[in-house]
Every structure is written in C-alpha cells, then in structure tokens.
Amino acid sequence: MIRIFDTHRVRKVKELEGIWSFTVMNDNDEEMLDKVYRLPVPGCWEQHPDLTSYRGRGVYRKTIKTTVNKNLRFVFKGVSHTADVYFDGVPIGHHYNAYTAFTSIVKGAEPKEHELMIVVDNSFSEASSLHLHNDYYTYGGLIRPVGLEEVEDLFIERIEFTPVLENNSWHADIRVIVGNLSELEQEFMLNGELAGQMLTLGTSRVGPCAELAVTGRFDFPDVMVWDNEQPNLYELEFHLSGQNGLVFDDLIERVGFRSVTTLNGKIQVNGKDIVLKGFNRHEDHALAGASLPLSLMVQDLDLMADMGCNSVRTSHYPNDERFLDLCDERGLFVWEENHARGLNLDQMRNPNFVQQCEDVNREMVEQHVNHPSIIIWAILNECASWSEEGKVHYKRQLEQIRTMDSSRPLTFASHHREKEICFDLADIVSFNLYPGWYGPEDPGELCDQARAWADSSGGLGKPMIMSEFGADGFYGYRSPSQVKGTEERQAQIIDSNLEAYRNRNFVSGMYIWQFCDCRVTEEKVGPLWRVQTLNNKGVVDGYRRPKLAYAVVKKHFTADE
Ligand code: ADA
C-alpha cells in the first residue's frame, strides 16, 4: 500500500511489493554474486542477519513483465539513502535522501520482460551532507513502497490544494501540474470534483517535453472543516481528457479545510488557540528498522492517542506518506521538518549541503502540501543558527519554504539558548532543552529564561514551543535509587517538565524527546556516545513496551480532557 486511499481510478497502477533479489556491491563496483539475497520490499537490509550493520552499496533487482507498449512511471517513496535506477541496464534516475519520494520514467517500453535494477548506497562520505553519523540510524534499502504506473504522454504529475478562509467562507487555490512526455505540443482539458462540486480548469496547451501548472480558485461555502476533533476529509480528483472528451488520466488527493495562524503569541487552527502536546518520533522500530509497515504505524498512533497526544513532530525528516495519511484521518497535528540533525558549521560547509537541503525542502513541500494534519513546517534541527554564516542558510531555506507555501507557520528547533540569532526569521520560536537530564536546571525557571531569550532575540510576541525535553530510561532498569538511566528517573524528569510547561500560558506546545527508543550510529556524535548504541529516551522501547514514564505522560496529556 502506497497511500491509505486509492489515488487513481483511471491510471493503471500497481505496487512492486514483494521479494526482490539483492547483492552487496563493493567499492570497485563489483557485485558479490556468490551470495544473492531475497529481500522484502519495502524493507531495510539490516533485517537480514548478514547485513545488520552493513553500510555501503547494494543492488536490488526485479523482473518487470509488460504486455502493452506504454510509458512506465516508477514511483519510489523512499530509498535509503542514495538511489541509481536502471531499466534494462540504462540509467533512468538518481536521487539523494531516504525521506522524500522520486519518480523515474521509461518512454514507450516494449511489451516483454524487463530488468529493473536499483543501486542503493547508505554509506557516509562528503557526497552525503545530511545522512551521516548521527543520533539516529540511516538504514539501507528500499525502505518505503515502490509503485509502477502506466501513463500516456500527457499525465497529471501532482495536485496542490491550499484552503483559504475569507469573509468567513471557504475557498481553495488549486494547482494541477500536467507533464508532457511527447516531442509535440499537446492540448488537454482538466475537470475535477470536490465535495460534489464540479471543478473546471478548461482547455490548456503544454509544450513538448515540458510540464504546465494550471491554477484556479474555487468557492466551497458548504464544506465541513478539518480539526483534531472533526478531521473531515474530502477526495479531490482531477481528470485529464483530450479534445474528444475521453478521460485518459486521473489523480485523486485527500484534503481538508482548515486554517493555521499565529496571533497574539499563540497558535490557532481555524481561529481557535491550541496547545500542542505530543512526541518527537523517529521512524524506527526494533523489528522493522526505518521501514515500518502500516500496522506498526497504526500501533504508534494508537499508543500516542492512548497517552492523550494531539500532535507529533517528525524528527528529523519528512515522514512516510502513509503515516501522514493516518494523521489526517485521526486529526493529529503534525510538525513536519526537513532532513537535518545537529549539523555544525563545518558540516554545513559541505559543498553538497545547499543543494541537498534545497532538494529535500522542495520535495517535502511538493509531496506533502495537501496533508491538513501538517500545521507547521520546520528546518535544520540544532544546526548552526548561532552564527551569521549559519543564518544565511536558515534565511534561504525558510524563504524557500514560505515561497512554496505561505499557509503554514515556520519554525526550527534550537538548543543555542542565549546565543540563538535566527528567531527573527521564524513565525514560532522552539527550544530543545533538557532540564534535569543534561543540566540540573529547574524546568520552570529554564522555560521562563527561554521566553526571555526569545523575546530579546527576535522572538517577541511569537508563540513558543518546548520542542524537545526528556531523559534516558533503560527499559527494565528500575531502582528505588532513581539514578539516571532508571525508568523512575526518566518518569520523574518528564513529570517535572510537563508540570512546568502545562502551567505556562506562553507555552503553545510541548514535544517529549522521544516516543520510542531508536538505533543510533556507533561513532561518537559530538559529545554523545550511546550505551547499547540506542537513544534510550523513548517513553516506549524499540518494541513499543511502555516504560514508567508512559503513565506520567498519560496523566498530564489527559488531565484537561
Ligand atoms: C538533541 C537532538 C535529538 C537527540 C537529543 C538527545 O536535542 O535534537 O535528535 O539527539 O538531543 O537525545 O540528546
């Protein structure tokens, strides 16, 4: 399953889920053909006992049998972390970053058996500025679903939907991007439907080998809003037809009517002040690595709902679209962020950093803009926002995202305290602080201090989120001593943090670090070196077994229900 709803009724699509052949590739581009693995896709190669810590390149292969002469469009929802795609030995695509999707197209494939081959690389080098040794793990493989579509020369690339509330009535700005694979200019008609209302975008012409965005604003006076209590969703579909009126392509999205604002130092959804209560969540599971199947995503969301969460932060990268689909359905508010964690100036000077950030920002917004659950975009978690050189990147990236989507507030999570100099660029100020764990500070006093830091450095009057706080708790380590590392101490630290933040009306959100224990890389990350090569700050462990802190979170997050 690529999405949790059907995205096409006309276009022929199928998921290439199943067992693919896999071989390891050495540094001389030689495949180790003496051992051919049979790996599940989607999946991480680390699930195989030979490959639990393999970092390098591998080759996935699958035979594709076609029966008609058609353009084939391969959709890769997540390849970790670099992909080179070949069709019958011909290169058809390259992509960097595990956490955003990409497509590769083969024009006019003959009806016969073909070989689809993907060389996947999860190694660390200067070529990779965002996937590196870190306090989370970069797995290897086709970690998210792969789809195969048959498209005509003209097809709908994507639909962008922006709800607009004006004069107390709902409208929507809609952009439909149509691609033309042929060498000829083409004419087409676009018609759509939403909430029983027909949407006409008329006739357009697109140049050879080009794409065209067709836009329109439509009024929807009678729709029901999306919010966390009533997450009303609508299917938005568009049909592509020729001059004869015959529909030959379509695309279906799922959207919601809601507005997000930041007025008077608070965050509003549909004009109503909200306080975000939730977790930072890595896409990581002891059984599945980064490749959680839908059932385990549902379990995570059920556990968060049981604890009374109304929000989740996708730390530290764009998430699997199926997870976002579930958040849309459940009315969970999402802070989604680009891919970056704790990059210092030297790492931000990597010659690939600017382009790789620009790419992941663009792909994140283009691919996820229609999810009503996403109410905040964020960038560059704990990077060098203390420095003028770092500020150039923060400014460029926030402007890039704001230009693509001005309907959502922007932020970034900072741990630089009084040294932070980028709060003037953001709509919301967010702090990663660990009172009680990394320092002896009192959570309430530190929170008040953080408000003062924000107010004196460009954050005055802006909503404030405590974006990370928590403590390590080793599952099963219990002791009346409550020494650091015990579940008791973790619960006590989280309890005191939540008590402080819930009682400050200038706090518009709190995200516990973190939902589940996650694997990290063995190498030291700054001063960090992790026992068990895990970040043990989860309120549940990697198998989702609850720690003592689970009941504490539930007490706080359900107190106001
Ligand atoms: C930082 C970082 C997290 C995690 C956390 C920790 O705030 O943003 O990814 O590393 O610290 O556990 O120390």
Side-chain angles (χ1 to χ4, degrees):
M1 175 182 279
I2 290 184
R3 300 290 297 275
I4 67 173
F5 61 94
D6 290 336
T7 53
H8 297 281
R9 294 192 184 97
V10 174
R11 188 184 303 178
K12 191 176 172 191
V13 299
K14 73 174 181 179
E15 186 174 352
L16 300 181
E17 179 174 12
I19 301 299
W20 293 41
S21 77
F22 178 84
T23 53
V24 165
M25 177 180 268
N26 67 19
D27 293 344
N28 304 322
D29 292 356
E30 295 155 342
E31 285 188 64
M32 304 294 104
L33 296 171
D34 57 328
K35 182 76 187 262
V36 179
Y37 298 90
R38 306 284 294 154
L39 296 186
V41 171
C44 306
W45 63 52
E46 287 84 358
Q47 285 179 250
H48 190 286
D50 293 359
L51 305 167
T52 51
S53 295
Y54 174 60
R55 191 164 296 289
R57 287 184 299 168
V59 184
Y60 284 87
R61 280 190 173 84
K62 186 171 185 63
T63 300
I64 307 287
K65 186 170 173 44
T66 58
T67 55
V68 290
N69 191 318
K70 278 277 186 185
N71 302 320
L72 304 181
R73 181 172 186 254
F74 293 98
V75 180
F76 299 95
K77 299 298 276 183
V79 179
S80 188
H81 61 61
T82 296
D84 282 290
V85 186
Y86 300 83
F87 187 77
D88 292 340
V90 176
I92 59 168
H94 171 83
H95 185 267
Y96 171 78
N97 209 305
Y99 307 117
T100 46
F102 68 100
T103 62
S104 299
I105 287 180
V106 176
K107 288 177 64 175
E110 292 170 47
K112 64 171 187 164
E113 283 199 349
H114 300 273
E115 182 195 69
L116 176 64
M117 179 177 92
I118 301 115
V119 179
V120 179
D121 184 354
N122 79 336
S123 64
F124 296 148
S125 72
E126 190 184 69
S128 171
S129 71
L130 302 175
H131 287 281
L132 32 73
H133 297 301
N134 222 319
D135 203 24
Y136 64 96
Y137 198 81
T138 290
Y139 291 87
L142 304 180
I143 64 170
R144 295 179 184 169
V146 180
L148 169 57
E149 305 174 348
E150 290 180 4
V151 293
E152 304 297 331
D153 281 350
L154 276 183
F155 69 98
I156 300 175
E157 180 77 44
R158 68 180 187 281
I159 300 170
E160 293 174 3
F161 168 91
T162 304
V164 180
L165 183 61
E166 263 176 20
N167 307 321
N168 214 24
S169 181
W170 285 102
H171 315 272
D173 290 329
I174 294 175
R175 284 179 86 231
V176 182
I177 291 88
V178 173
N180 178 12
L181 299 174
S182 78
E183 308 287 332
L184 304 170
E185 185 182 65
Q186 303 261 7
E187 185 172 279
F188 61 86
M189 284 195 293
L190 266 177
N191 293 295
E193 183 181 350
L194 188 156
Q197 187 172 322
M198 303 317 289
L199 312 174
T200 300
L201 283 175
T203 300
S204 306
R205 301 183 70 78
V206 55
C209 300
E211 61 178 40
L212 180 74
V214 186
T215 59
R217 170 170 284 202
F218 299 93
D219 302 334
F220 297 95
D222 306 320
V223 291
M224 294 182 290
V225 294
W226 184 94
D227 64 24
N228 60 322
E229 273 125 27
Q230 299 289 331
N232 293 297
L233 292 170
Y234 292 92
E235 282 198 349
L236 167 61
E237 62 180 286
F238 269 94
H239 306 122
L240 200 51
S241 56
Q243 289 153 325
N244 58 9
L246 186 68
V247 174
F248 56 80
D249 194 44
D250 70 339
L251 178 56
I252 302 164
E253 276 286 355
R254 235 174 31 169
V255 298
F257 289 85
R258 61 103 186 89
S259 68
V260 191
T261 50
T262 53
L263 303 169
N264 311 317
K266 304 293 279 182
I267 302 169
Q268 296 83 30
V269 170
N270 301 331
K272 183 182 158 200
D273 286 353
I274 61 169
V275 176
L276 301 168
K277 303 179 297 181
F279 284 99
N280 290 276
R281 173 182 177 266
H282 267 299
E283 289 181 332
D284 191 298
H285 197 288
L287 297 175
S291 189
L292 281 78
L294 188 69
S295 59
L296 293 181
M297 292 181 198
V298 168
Q299 183 187 41
D300 282 0
L301 288 166
D302 286 342
L303 288 168
M304 287 187 208
D306 181 54
M307 283 185 268
C309 299
N310 68 2
S311 188
V312 63
R313 176 185 174 209
T314 69
S315 54
H316 297 291
Y317 35 76
N319 268 202
D320 188 306
E321 265 213 284
R322 294 167 295 171
F323 184 78
L324 298 173
D325 287 341
L326 290 168
C327 292
D328 292 341
E329 282 190 352
R330 291 161 174 252
L332 202 68
F333 297 129
V334 175
W335 155 328
E336 182 159 74
E337 65 186 27
N338 76 353
H339 177 207
R341 183 213 164 271
L343 304 178
N344 58 35
L345 260 187
D346 193 39
Q347 291 166 320
M348 293 172 81
R349 288 174 183 143
N350 178 312
N352 299 295
F353 174 77
V354 170
Q355 188 59 55
Q356 289 177 344
C357 285
E358 192 175 297
D359 291 343
V360 73
N361 292 344
R362 183 186 65 257
E363 291 165 351
M364 174 177 76
V365 176
E366 281 184 353
Q367 295 166 17
H368 295 170
V369 68
N370 295 333
H371 289 281
S373 56
I374 297 175
I375 61 165
I376 293 171
W377 295 121
I379 63 167
L380 300 180
N381 173 76
E382 294 193 357
C383 297
S385 57
W386 56 269
S387 74
E388 288 301 336
E389 184 180 344
K391 186 162 189 171
V392 171
H393 294 287
Y394 276 76
K395 186 172 188 310
R396 177 195 300 118
Q397 294 193 30
L398 289 169
E399 285 175 353
Q400 176 196 3
I401 292 176
R402 192 173 277 121
T403 303
M404 293 183 72
D405 174 24
S406 59
S407 73
R408 294 171 171 91
L410 306 178
T411 191
F412 60 89
S414 167
H415 67 321
H416 297 302
R417 299 184 174 217
E418 73 282 355
K419 295 188 177 68
E420 179 55 58
I421 64 168
C422 291
F423 281 144
D424 58 315
L425 305 174
D427 302 306
I428 297 169
V429 295
S430 301
F431 287 90
N432 292 353
L433 299 168
Y434 285 83
W437 179 254
Y438 286 128
E441 298 107 332
D442 170 79
E445 290 170 11
L446 189 59
C447 186
D448 296 338
Q449 181 65 63
R451 181 73 263 180
W453 291 328
D455 293 349
S456 60
S457 64
L460 187 62
K462 294 179 180 177
M464 177 168 146
I465 290 177
M466 303 307 286
S467 39
E468 287 184 33
F469 54 92
D472 280 282
F474 296 94
Y475 180 80
Y477 179 29
R478 302 207 179 164
S479 163
S481 70
Q482 296 209 11
V483 293
K484 281 190 170 182
T486 58
E487 288 191 30
E488 289 90 345
R489 186 66 164 276
Q490 181 193 34
Q492 181 273 321
I493 290 170
I494 290 175
D495 193 23
S496 60
N497 275 263
L498 290 176
E499 189 64 34
Y501 308 148
R502 285 182 53 224
N503 288 307
R504 281 165 170 77
N505 67 3
F506 61 76
V507 173
S508 291
M510 54 203 83
Y511 291 105
I512 298 163
W513 185 274
Q514 62 175 328
F515 170 69
C516 60
D517 292 349
C518 72
R519 186 175 179 182
V520 301
T521 52
E522 277 195 352
E523 295 72 11
K524 275 189 77 163
V525 176
L528 292 175
W529 181 81
R530 297 286 182 206
V531 176
Q532 302 175 325
T533 318
L534 292 174
N535 182 308
N536 283 287
K537 294 191 181 69
V539 165
V540 300
D541 77 347
Y543 296 93
R544 278 40 180 184
R545 297 176 297 188
K547 301 175 189 176
L548 289 176
Y550 185 104
V552 164
V553 174
K554 186 167 182 174
K555 172 192 76 174
H556 282 281
F557 284 177
T558 58
D560 307 334
E561 284 179 358

